[in-house]
Amino acid sequence: DVVKSVVEKNIKQDSTPVDIKFNRFQASLFHSDKENPLGKSLLDQVIEQVPFSKINRMKRRGGAPWKVDLIGEGATDAGGPGRDLFTECCMELMNQSLGLFVPNPNKRVNNSNGNQELLIPNPQTMTSQVKNRFIYAGILIAICYVSSIPEPFKFPRFFWDFLTNKPVSIEDIYDVDLQFKQLMTSIESFTDSTQFSDIFSL
């Protein structure tokens, strides 16, 4: 199993959990105005405090991957706050203000026939910040598997197939882009090359 062999590698259940300070007020500022210098997403707070050398310490079976301190809230982590913040971080991955994932084409053209709720990776410029966010998003998704904490990710089938080393077909793309399917079907139906050139300028 591809997923198991990758994400369960080097698990040390008796390792000291990572301590993270979360500021949900800063996260709220970020999501209300990304340009606010005082705002910082939960994911960026994780990236800032958990270097690659500590990632294996977040692989913990049956519970939250960290111990948390909620700044300004006075909460002591006895398990509950850690799990709550893990869920909040996972849900934040799908928040459009973070910019990692965007609505799929069916949603953008309001096609009521297919999978409007599913999000696809944002085809944005891959800056170092964006790349880092995607890496840590992958880490959080892997932790869901290790810790057996299910999260309601809204990603299409091809996303999971790609991560698990399964083939991705054009039919998987059609599931979230029916307009593209209609275009491709119409192109394939042409037998007259002149008419094709006139219509598609190709």
Side-chain angles (χ1 to χ4, degrees), residues 3 7 86 90 93 101 134-147 149 151 153 155 159-160 163:
V3 174
V7 302
F86 181 65
C90 289
L93 300 183
F101 298 92
F134 268 119
I135 290 171
Y136 277 79
I139 290 167
L140 293 182
I141 292 171
I143 288 171
C144 289
Y145 181 93
V146 173
S147 63
I149 302 177
E151 300 296 343
F153 294 116
F155 303 137
F159 178 89
W160 301 112
L163 290 182

PDB file of all heavy atoms in Angstrom, residues 3 7 86 90 93 101 134-147 149 151 153 155 159-160 163:
ATOM      1  N   VAL A   3       0.294   4.544   0.323  1.00  0.00           N
ATOM      2  CA  VAL A   3       0.096   5.524   1.391  1.00  0.00           C
ATOM      3  C   VAL A   3       0.727   5.041   2.700  1.00  0.00           C
ATOM      4  O   VAL A   3       1.474   5.764   3.355  1.00  0.00           O
ATOM      5  CB  VAL A   3      -1.402   5.805   1.592  1.00  0.00           C
ATOM      6  CG1 VAL A   3      -1.611   6.711   2.796  1.00  0.00           C
ATOM      7  CG2 VAL A   3      -1.997   6.441   0.344  1.00  0.00           C
ATOM      8  N   VAL A   7       3.580   7.260   4.638  1.00  0.00           N
ATOM      9  CA  VAL A   7       3.239   8.103   5.781  1.00  0.00           C
ATOM     10  C   VAL A   7       3.525   7.452   7.124  1.00  0.00           C
ATOM     11  O   VAL A   7       3.674   8.146   8.128  1.00  0.00           O
ATOM     12  CB  VAL A   7       1.760   8.558   5.734  1.00  0.00           C
ATOM     13  CG1 VAL A   7       1.468   9.309   4.460  1.00  0.00           C
ATOM     14  CG2 VAL A   7       0.817   7.378   5.890  1.00  0.00           C
ATOM     15  N   PHE A  86      -6.254  20.824  15.081  1.00  0.00           N
ATOM     16  CA  PHE A  86      -5.903  20.011  13.915  1.00  0.00           C
ATOM     17  C   PHE A  86      -7.038  20.057  12.890  1.00  0.00           C
ATOM     18  O   PHE A  86      -6.804  20.236  11.691  1.00  0.00           O
ATOM     19  CB  PHE A  86      -5.622  18.567  14.334  1.00  0.00           C
ATOM     20  CG  PHE A  86      -5.233  17.688  13.181  1.00  0.00           C
ATOM     21  CD1 PHE A  86      -4.045  17.911  12.490  1.00  0.00           C
ATOM     22  CD2 PHE A  86      -6.052  16.646  12.781  1.00  0.00           C
ATOM     23  CE1 PHE A  86      -3.690  17.110  11.412  1.00  0.00           C
ATOM     24  CE2 PHE A  86      -5.701  15.841  11.714  1.00  0.00           C
ATOM     25  CZ  PHE A  86      -4.518  16.064  11.030  1.00  0.00           C
ATOM     26  N   CYS A  90      -6.941  21.667   9.065  1.00  0.00           N
ATOM     27  CA  CYS A  90      -7.335  20.903   7.875  1.00  0.00           C
ATOM     28  C   CYS A  90      -8.446  21.616   7.117  1.00  0.00           C
ATOM     29  O   CYS A  90      -8.436  21.667   5.876  1.00  0.00           O
ATOM     30  CB  CYS A  90      -7.786  19.500   8.278  1.00  0.00           C
ATOM     31  SG  CYS A  90      -6.428  18.432   8.844  1.00  0.00           S
ATOM     32  N   LEU A  93      -7.243  24.524   4.946  1.00  0.00           N
ATOM     33  CA  LEU A  93      -6.636  24.200   3.649  1.00  0.00           C
ATOM     34  C   LEU A  93      -7.605  24.461   2.512  1.00  0.00           C
ATOM     35  O   LEU A  93      -7.205  24.794   1.399  1.00  0.00           O
ATOM     36  CB  LEU A  93      -6.201  22.732   3.605  1.00  0.00           C
ATOM     37  CG  LEU A  93      -5.168  22.264   4.621  1.00  0.00           C
ATOM     38  CD1 LEU A  93      -4.823  20.807   4.368  1.00  0.00           C
ATOM     39  CD2 LEU A  93      -3.920  23.135   4.586  1.00  0.00           C
ATOM     40  N   PHE A 101      -6.394  25.879  -2.824  1.00  0.00           N
ATOM     41  CA  PHE A 101      -7.405  25.180  -3.608  1.00  0.00           C
ATOM     42  C   PHE A 101      -8.511  26.151  -4.008  1.00  0.00           C
ATOM     43  O   PHE A 101      -8.823  27.090  -3.278  1.00  0.00           O
ATOM     44  CB  PHE A 101      -7.980  24.000  -2.812  1.00  0.00           C
ATOM     45  CG  PHE A 101      -6.947  22.967  -2.459  1.00  0.00           C
ATOM     46  CD1 PHE A 101      -6.254  23.029  -1.259  1.00  0.00           C
ATOM     47  CD2 PHE A 101      -6.643  21.939  -3.340  1.00  0.00           C
ATOM     48  CE1 PHE A 101      -5.287  22.092  -0.936  1.00  0.00           C
ATOM     49  CE2 PHE A 101      -5.679  20.995  -3.032  1.00  0.00           C
ATOM     50  CZ  PHE A 101      -4.998  21.066  -1.829  1.00  0.00           C
ATOM     51  N   PHE A 134       1.891  24.033   0.220  1.00  0.00           N
ATOM     52  CA  PHE A 134       1.436  22.759  -0.345  1.00  0.00           C
ATOM     53  C   PHE A 134       2.118  21.583   0.353  1.00  0.00           C
ATOM     54  O   PHE A 134       1.492  20.551   0.620  1.00  0.00           O
ATOM     55  CB  PHE A 134       1.690  22.712  -1.848  1.00  0.00           C
ATOM     56  CG  PHE A 134       0.541  23.201  -2.680  1.00  0.00           C
ATOM     57  CD1 PHE A 134       0.687  24.297  -3.520  1.00  0.00           C
ATOM     58  CD2 PHE A 134      -0.697  22.568  -2.631  1.00  0.00           C
ATOM     59  CE1 PHE A 134      -0.374  24.751  -4.294  1.00  0.00           C
ATOM     60  CE2 PHE A 134      -1.763  23.018  -3.400  1.00  0.00           C
ATOM     61  CZ  PHE A 134      -1.599  24.108  -4.234  1.00  0.00           C
ATOM     62  N   ILE A 135       3.403  21.723   0.642  1.00  0.00           N
ATOM     63  CA  ILE A 135       4.127  20.651   1.327  1.00  0.00           C
ATOM     64  C   ILE A 135       3.500  20.370   2.689  1.00  0.00           C
ATOM     65  O   ILE A 135       3.236  19.214   3.045  1.00  0.00           O
ATOM     66  CB  ILE A 135       5.620  21.007   1.478  1.00  0.00           C
ATOM     67  CG1 ILE A 135       6.315  20.968   0.112  1.00  0.00           C
ATOM     68  CG2 ILE A 135       6.316  20.060   2.454  1.00  0.00           C
ATOM     69  CD1 ILE A 135       7.733  21.503   0.129  1.00  0.00           C
ATOM     70  N   TYR A 136       3.243  21.410   3.445  1.00  0.00           N
ATOM     71  CA  TYR A 136       2.676  21.225   4.778  1.00  0.00           C
ATOM     72  C   TYR A 136       1.211  20.817   4.720  1.00  0.00           C
ATOM     73  O   TYR A 136       0.714  20.130   5.624  1.00  0.00           O
ATOM     74  CB  TYR A 136       2.886  22.475   5.631  1.00  0.00           C
ATOM     75  CG  TYR A 136       4.246  22.518   6.276  1.00  0.00           C
ATOM     76  CD1 TYR A 136       5.372  22.910   5.544  1.00  0.00           C
ATOM     77  CD2 TYR A 136       4.439  22.128   7.590  1.00  0.00           C
ATOM     78  CE1 TYR A 136       6.638  22.927   6.119  1.00  0.00           C
ATOM     79  CE2 TYR A 136       5.696  22.139   8.182  1.00  0.00           C
ATOM     80  CZ  TYR A 136       6.793  22.541   7.434  1.00  0.00           C
ATOM     81  OH  TYR A 136       8.041  22.541   8.007  1.00  0.00           O
ATOM     82  N   ALA A 137       0.510  21.215   3.659  1.00  0.00           N
ATOM     83  CA  ALA A 137      -0.855  20.714   3.467  1.00  0.00           C
ATOM     84  C   ALA A 137      -0.809  19.201   3.290  1.00  0.00           C
ATOM     85  O   ALA A 137      -1.632  18.462   3.863  1.00  0.00           O
ATOM     86  CB  ALA A 137      -1.489  21.373   2.246  1.00  0.00           C
ATOM     87  N   GLY A 138       0.154  18.724   2.505  1.00  0.00           N
ATOM     88  CA  GLY A 138       0.325  17.284   2.334  1.00  0.00           C
ATOM     89  C   GLY A 138       0.652  16.587   3.642  1.00  0.00           C
ATOM     90  O   GLY A 138       0.177  15.475   3.915  1.00  0.00           O
ATOM     91  N   ILE A 139       1.444  17.245   4.467  1.00  0.00           N
ATOM     92  CA  ILE A 139       1.785  16.680   5.779  1.00  0.00           C
ATOM     93  C   ILE A 139       0.533  16.520   6.634  1.00  0.00           C
ATOM     94  O   ILE A 139       0.320  15.475   7.263  1.00  0.00           O
ATOM     95  CB  ILE A 139       2.828  17.569   6.482  1.00  0.00           C
ATOM     96  CG1 ILE A 139       4.181  17.460   5.770  1.00  0.00           C
ATOM     97  CG2 ILE A 139       2.970  17.190   7.957  1.00  0.00           C
ATOM     98  CD1 ILE A 139       5.189  18.507   6.184  1.00  0.00           C
ATOM     99  N   LEU A 140      -0.315  17.539   6.663  1.00  0.00           N
ATOM    100  CA  LEU A 140      -1.543  17.455   7.463  1.00  0.00           C
ATOM    101  C   LEU A 140      -2.455  16.349   6.943  1.00  0.00           C
ATOM    102  O   LEU A 140      -3.081  15.625   7.733  1.00  0.00           O
ATOM    103  CB  LEU A 140      -2.276  18.796   7.443  1.00  0.00           C
ATOM    104  CG  LEU A 140      -1.581  19.966   8.152  1.00  0.00           C
ATOM    105  CD1 LEU A 140      -2.456  21.217   8.081  1.00  0.00           C
ATOM    106  CD2 LEU A 140      -1.280  19.625   9.601  1.00  0.00           C
ATOM    107  N   ILE A 141      -2.553  16.209   5.624  1.00  0.00           N
ATOM    108  CA  ILE A 141      -3.380  15.146   5.049  1.00  0.00           C
ATOM    109  C   ILE A 141      -2.831  13.780   5.447  1.00  0.00           C
ATOM    110  O   ILE A 141      -3.581  12.864   5.800  1.00  0.00           O
ATOM    111  CB  ILE A 141      -3.454  15.301   3.516  1.00  0.00           C
ATOM    112  CG1 ILE A 141      -4.249  16.556   3.154  1.00  0.00           C
ATOM    113  CG2 ILE A 141      -4.088  14.073   2.867  1.00  0.00           C
ATOM    114  CD1 ILE A 141      -4.201  16.938   1.690  1.00  0.00           C
ATOM    115  N   ALA A 142      -1.502  13.625   5.404  1.00  0.00           N
ATOM    116  CA  ALA A 142      -0.889  12.361   5.801  1.00  0.00           C
ATOM    117  C   ALA A 142      -1.127  12.064   7.276  1.00  0.00           C
ATOM    118  O   ALA A 142      -1.361  10.911   7.663  1.00  0.00           O
ATOM    119  CB  ALA A 142       0.610  12.394   5.508  1.00  0.00           C
ATOM    120  N   ILE A 143      -1.105  13.104   8.109  1.00  0.00           N
ATOM    121  CA  ILE A 143      -1.329  12.915   9.540  1.00  0.00           C
ATOM    122  C   ILE A 143      -2.738  12.412   9.814  1.00  0.00           C
ATOM    123  O   ILE A 143      -2.964  11.634  10.752  1.00  0.00           O
ATOM    124  CB  ILE A 143      -1.037  14.224  10.301  1.00  0.00           C
ATOM    125  CG1 ILE A 143       0.472  14.486  10.326  1.00  0.00           C
ATOM    126  CG2 ILE A 143      -1.584  14.172  11.726  1.00  0.00           C
ATOM    127  CD1 ILE A 143       0.851  15.843  10.862  1.00  0.00           C
ATOM    128  N   CYS A 144      -3.698  12.834   8.989  1.00  0.00           N
ATOM    129  CA  CYS A 144      -5.066  12.316   9.138  1.00  0.00           C
ATOM    130  C   CYS A 144      -5.059  10.799   9.047  1.00  0.00           C
ATOM    131  O   CYS A 144      -5.760  10.113   9.797  1.00  0.00           O
ATOM    132  CB  CYS A 144      -5.977  12.882   8.049  1.00  0.00           C
ATOM    133  SG  CYS A 144      -6.364  14.622   8.229  1.00  0.00           S
ATOM    134  N   TYR A 145      -4.276  10.275   8.116  1.00  0.00           N
ATOM    135  CA  TYR A 145      -4.191   8.826   7.924  1.00  0.00           C
ATOM    136  C   TYR A 145      -3.523   8.165   9.125  1.00  0.00           C
ATOM    137  O   TYR A 145      -4.015   7.170   9.660  1.00  0.00           O
ATOM    138  CB  TYR A 145      -3.412   8.534   6.636  1.00  0.00           C
ATOM    139  CG  TYR A 145      -3.263   7.068   6.310  1.00  0.00           C
ATOM    140  CD1 TYR A 145      -4.179   6.429   5.475  1.00  0.00           C
ATOM    141  CD2 TYR A 145      -2.206   6.323   6.821  1.00  0.00           C
ATOM    142  CE1 TYR A 145      -4.046   5.081   5.171  1.00  0.00           C
ATOM    143  CE2 TYR A 145      -2.061   4.976   6.520  1.00  0.00           C
ATOM    144  CZ  TYR A 145      -2.987   4.360   5.700  1.00  0.00           C
ATOM    145  OH  TYR A 145      -2.858   3.035   5.409  1.00  0.00           O
ATOM    146  N   VAL A 146      -2.409   8.724   9.561  1.00  0.00           N
ATOM    147  CA  VAL A 146      -1.651   8.124  10.654  1.00  0.00           C
ATOM    148  C   VAL A 146      -2.433   8.150  11.961  1.00  0.00           C
ATOM    149  O   VAL A 146      -2.488   7.165  12.700  1.00  0.00           O
ATOM    150  CB  VAL A 146      -0.306   8.860  10.840  1.00  0.00           C
ATOM    151  CG1 VAL A 146       0.421   8.357  12.076  1.00  0.00           C
ATOM    152  CG2 VAL A 146       0.564   8.687   9.610  1.00  0.00           C
ATOM    153  N   SER A 147      -3.055   9.284  12.249  1.00  0.00           N
ATOM    154  CA  SER A 147      -3.711   9.481  13.538  1.00  0.00           C
ATOM    155  C   SER A 147      -5.141   8.959  13.577  1.00  0.00           C
ATOM    156  O   SER A 147      -5.775   8.955  14.634  1.00  0.00           O
ATOM    157  CB  SER A 147      -3.717  10.972  13.891  1.00  0.00           C
ATOM    158  OG  SER A 147      -4.477  11.693  12.936  1.00  0.00           O
ATOM    159  N   ILE A 149      -7.700  10.422  12.411  1.00  0.00           N
ATOM    160  CA  ILE A 149      -8.616  11.538  12.641  1.00  0.00           C
ATOM    161  C   ILE A 149      -9.199  11.923  11.283  1.00  0.00           C
ATOM    162  O   ILE A 149      -8.536  12.577  10.482  1.00  0.00           O
ATOM    163  CB  ILE A 149      -7.887  12.751  13.261  1.00  0.00           C
ATOM    164  CG1 ILE A 149      -7.226  12.366  14.587  1.00  0.00           C
ATOM    165  CG2 ILE A 149      -8.870  13.902  13.486  1.00  0.00           C
ATOM    166  CD1 ILE A 149      -6.423  13.496  15.215  1.00  0.00           C
ATOM    167  N   GLU A 151     -11.074  13.825   8.367  1.00  0.00           N
ATOM    168  CA  GLU A 151     -11.431  15.209   8.062  1.00  0.00           C
ATOM    169  C   GLU A 151     -12.168  15.241   6.720  1.00  0.00           C
ATOM    170  O   GLU A 151     -11.828  14.493   5.808  1.00  0.00           O
ATOM    171  CB  GLU A 151     -10.183  16.098   7.998  1.00  0.00           C
ATOM    172  CG  GLU A 151      -9.377  16.156   9.284  1.00  0.00           C
ATOM    173  CD  GLU A 151     -10.131  16.775  10.457  1.00  0.00           C
ATOM    174  OE1 GLU A 151     -11.153  17.460  10.223  1.00  0.00           O
ATOM    175  OE2 GLU A 151      -9.694  16.572  11.611  1.00  0.00           O
ATOM    176  N   PHE A 153     -12.269  16.446   3.717  1.00  0.00           N
ATOM    177  CA  PHE A 153     -11.647  17.127   2.584  1.00  0.00           C
ATOM    178  C   PHE A 153     -12.545  17.012   1.351  1.00  0.00           C
ATOM    179  O   PHE A 153     -13.097  15.953   1.067  1.00  0.00           O
ATOM    180  CB  PHE A 153     -10.277  16.522   2.267  1.00  0.00           C
ATOM    181  CG  PHE A 153      -9.252  16.735   3.335  1.00  0.00           C
ATOM    182  CD1 PHE A 153      -8.716  15.672   4.027  1.00  0.00           C
ATOM    183  CD2 PHE A 153      -8.824  18.024   3.643  1.00  0.00           C
ATOM    184  CE1 PHE A 153      -7.762  15.874   5.016  1.00  0.00           C
ATOM    185  CE2 PHE A 153      -7.869  18.239   4.631  1.00  0.00           C
ATOM    186  CZ  PHE A 153      -7.335  17.158   5.316  1.00  0.00           C
ATOM    187  N   PHE A 155     -11.949  17.100  -2.077  1.00  0.00           N
ATOM    188  CA  PHE A 155     -11.087  17.026  -3.239  1.00  0.00           C
ATOM    189  C   PHE A 155     -11.610  15.962  -4.206  1.00  0.00           C
ATOM    190  O   PHE A 155     -12.172  14.948  -3.785  1.00  0.00           O
ATOM    191  CB  PHE A 155      -9.654  16.688  -2.828  1.00  0.00           C
ATOM    192  CG  PHE A 155      -9.054  17.662  -1.846  1.00  0.00           C
ATOM    193  CD1 PHE A 155      -8.313  17.214  -0.765  1.00  0.00           C
ATOM    194  CD2 PHE A 155      -9.245  19.031  -2.004  1.00  0.00           C
ATOM    195  CE1 PHE A 155      -7.767  18.117   0.141  1.00  0.00           C
ATOM    196  CE2 PHE A 155      -8.702  19.939  -1.101  1.00  0.00           C
ATOM    197  CZ  PHE A 155      -7.965  19.477  -0.022  1.00  0.00           C
ATOM    198  N   PHE A 159      -7.397  13.718  -7.491  1.00  0.00           N
ATOM    199  CA  PHE A 159      -6.462  14.202  -6.470  1.00  0.00           C
ATOM    200  C   PHE A 159      -5.972  13.029  -5.618  1.00  0.00           C
ATOM    201  O   PHE A 159      -4.774  12.835  -5.427  1.00  0.00           O
ATOM    202  CB  PHE A 159      -7.153  15.259  -5.602  1.00  0.00           C
ATOM    203  CG  PHE A 159      -6.318  15.803  -4.477  1.00  0.00           C
ATOM    204  CD1 PHE A 159      -5.508  16.902  -4.675  1.00  0.00           C
ATOM    205  CD2 PHE A 159      -6.367  15.228  -3.212  1.00  0.00           C
ATOM    206  CE1 PHE A 159      -4.735  17.418  -3.633  1.00  0.00           C
ATOM    207  CE2 PHE A 159      -5.608  15.731  -2.165  1.00  0.00           C
ATOM    208  CZ  PHE A 159      -4.796  16.829  -2.382  1.00  0.00           C
ATOM    209  N   TRP A 160      -6.917  12.211  -5.124  1.00  0.00           N
ATOM    210  CA  TRP A 160      -6.558  11.071  -4.289  1.00  0.00           C
ATOM    211  C   TRP A 160      -5.866   9.983  -5.108  1.00  0.00           C
ATOM    212  O   TRP A 160      -4.936   9.323  -4.614  1.00  0.00           O
ATOM    213  CB  TRP A 160      -7.803  10.513  -3.595  1.00  0.00           C
ATOM    214  CG  TRP A 160      -8.488  11.526  -2.743  1.00  0.00           C
ATOM    215  CD1 TRP A 160      -9.718  12.089  -2.950  1.00  0.00           C
ATOM    216  CD2 TRP A 160      -7.979  12.130  -1.542  1.00  0.00           C
ATOM    217  NE1 TRP A 160     -10.001  13.010  -1.960  1.00  0.00           N
ATOM    218  CE2 TRP A 160      -8.961  13.050  -1.087  1.00  0.00           C
ATOM    219  CE3 TRP A 160      -6.803  11.992  -0.810  1.00  0.00           C
ATOM    220  CZ2 TRP A 160      -8.794  13.816   0.064  1.00  0.00           C
ATOM    221  CZ3 TRP A 160      -6.631  12.751   0.336  1.00  0.00           C
ATOM    222  CH2 TRP A 160      -7.615  13.648   0.759  1.00  0.00           C
ATOM    223  N   LEU A 163      -2.232  10.952  -5.493  1.00  0.00           N
ATOM    224  CA  LEU A 163      -1.463  10.796  -4.257  1.00  0.00           C
ATOM    225  C   LEU A 163      -1.191   9.333  -3.925  1.00  0.00           C
ATOM    226  O   LEU A 163      -0.195   9.015  -3.267  1.00  0.00           O
ATOM    227  CB  LEU A 163      -2.204  11.453  -3.085  1.00  0.00           C
ATOM    228  CG  LEU A 163      -2.276  12.980  -3.081  1.00  0.00           C
ATOM    229  CD1 LEU A 163      -2.993  13.467  -1.828  1.00  0.00           C
ATOM    230  CD2 LEU A 163      -0.890  13.614  -3.171  1.00  0.00           C
TER     231      LEU A 163
END
